[in-house]
């Protein structure tokens, strides 16, 4: 089998099975594990998979910056955001993540809602200016321009006195065994800290982020109590999440 044929088969198995193991691939193709590891490195360099210890997982396609993602109008995004907004109760203290789905969620919060929103996203804060009953607390820190959110020690320190009812989290990868992940290390630390300061965490994710992984782990899947996905998401992708004890809401 030629190298490109082997790589195509690796990707096909990855799509079919959700993960591949280097040792198993080596035995199946009759080549050394070093050869398989080289294949995986090259495929990872092309952004076609995410390498993990012993093998690989599907790579999350969510790599565009905020401006590019904001320009993409999506019924899916609006549906997920609407389902998240419907979970908010009067008087709650919410932590609202950065990202385009979170911005859409802010837009869909009722104008007469009385609540407190804590956010490290200037975009969220601006979106809530015309909600008279919502008190907005902005977490300061270094601005990570890719996602337009604050990160770093100062941002995490600002969280120390906050206890929220629920954190609405955005991610780039949701995987039953690899957990919740994102594409930036400091963002991963920040999201983990935000989750630690809320009674429960709700993850908002489109179907292309399910059964996918990004380089930096936020936490185990159990960090989320609920995951909101679009209603067209394949059952095969949802079943492992539900089996792990997470409530899956179809939007």
């Amino acid at each position: 089998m030629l190298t490109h044929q082997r790589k195509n088969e690796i990707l096909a198995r990855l799509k079919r099975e959700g993960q591949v193991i280097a040792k198993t691939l080596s035995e199946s193709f009759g080549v050394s594990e070093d050869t398989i590891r080289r294949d995986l490195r090259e495929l990872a360099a092309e952004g076609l998979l995410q390498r993990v210890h012993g093998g690989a997982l599907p790579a999350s396609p969510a790599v565009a910056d905020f401006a590019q993602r904001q320009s993409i109008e999506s019924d899916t995004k609006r549906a997920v955001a609407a389902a998240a907004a419907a979970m908010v109760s009067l008087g709650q203290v919410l932590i609202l993540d950065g990202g385009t789905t979170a911005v859409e969620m802010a837009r869909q919060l009722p104008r007469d809602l009385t609540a407190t929103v804590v956010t490290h996203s200037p975009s969220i804060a601006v979106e809530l200016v015309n909600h008279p009953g919502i008190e907005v607390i902005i977490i300061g820190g270094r601005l990570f321009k890719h996602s337009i959110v604050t990160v770093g020690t100062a941002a995490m320190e600002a969280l120390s006195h906050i206890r929220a009812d629920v954190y609405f989290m955005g991610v780039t990868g949701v995987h039953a065994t690899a957990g919740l992940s994102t594409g930036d290390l400091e963002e991963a630390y920040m999201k983990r800290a935000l989750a630690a300061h809320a009674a429960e965490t709700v993850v908002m994710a489109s179907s292309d982020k399910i059964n996918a992984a990004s380089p930096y782990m936020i936490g185990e899947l159990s960090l989320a109590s609920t995951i909101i996905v679009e209603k067209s998401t394949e059952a095969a992708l949802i079943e492992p999440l539900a089996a792990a004890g997470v409530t899956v809401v179809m939007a």
Side-chain angles (χ1 to χ4, degrees):
M1 182 179 288
L2 298 176
T3 300
H4 76 274
Q5 293 174 318
R6 190 171 60 244
K7 288 181 178 179
N8 287 339
E9 178 58 24
I10 289 172
L11 293 174
R13 292 190 188 189
L14 193 57
K15 182 177 182 180
R16 187 169 61 246
E17 300 171 12
Q19 64 178 0
V20 291
I21 307 300
K23 180 175 175 52
T24 303
L25 292 174
S26 170
E27 293 171 350
S28 175
F29 295 132
V31 297
S32 69
E33 285 192 51
D34 282 342
T35 297
I36 294 299
R37 282 192 288 269
R38 184 176 65 246
D39 289 345
L40 297 181
R41 281 196 301 271
E42 291 173 357
L43 289 167
E46 296 177 49
L48 298 175
L49 54 77
Q50 175 64 50
R51 294 182 68 208
V52 294
H53 181 73
L57 300 173
S60 171
V63 295
D65 65 19
F66 184 91
Q68 290 174 293
R69 287 180 281 125
Q70 192 174 42
S71 67
I72 302 173
E73 292 296 329
S74 167
D75 290 338
T76 295
K77 185 188 301 182
R78 284 189 286 270
V80 169
M87 293 181 177
V88 177
S89 299
L90 184 70
Q92 282 188 320
V93 177
L94 319 173
I95 297 176
L96 193 47
D97 212 346
T100 56
T101 303
V103 168
E104 183 61 33
M105 177 188 168
R107 289 173 182 157
Q108 298 205 36
L109 291 173
R111 293 283 172 171
D112 60 350
L113 176 67
T114 300
T116 299
V117 172
V118 179
T119 185
H120 65 318
S121 166
S123 302
I124 297 293
V126 170
E127 198 62 50
L128 293 173
V129 165
N130 295 319
H131 286 70
I134 296 181
E135 180 179 0
V136 181
I137 299 174
I138 305 174
I139 298 170
R142 183 180 69 82
L143 185 66
F144 177 46
K145 295 181 181 179
H146 179 278
S147 300
I148 314 185
V149 293
T150 58
V151 296
T153 304
M156 295 177 71
E157 176 64 25
L159 282 170
S160 59
H161 301 294
I162 293 172
R163 292 289 181 271
D165 296 297
V166 58
Y167 166 37
F168 290 92
M169 177 193 286
V171 299
T172 58
V174 178
H175 194 280
T177 56
L180 309 172
S181 56
T182 191
D184 180 79
L185 179 59
E186 281 196 281
E187 244 194 323
Y189 281 127
M190 190 66 192
K191 289 175 186 289
R192 192 178 309 133
L194 291 167
H197 286 268
E200 64 175 305
T201 295
V202 176
V203 170
M204 302 177 289
S206 53
S207 61
D208 58 351
K209 297 173 185 176
I210 307 299
N211 197 39
S214 289
Y216 301 102
M217 186 175 179
I218 301 165
E220 301 289 346
L221 187 65
S222 58
L223 190 66
S225 57
T226 303
I227 297 176
I228 306 174
V229 299
E230 60 199 88
K231 63 182 178 181
S232 61
T233 305
E234 296 177 14
L237 296 178
I238 295 172
E239 287 166 4
L241 307 181
V246 178
T247 299
V248 179
V249 173
M250 308 292 285

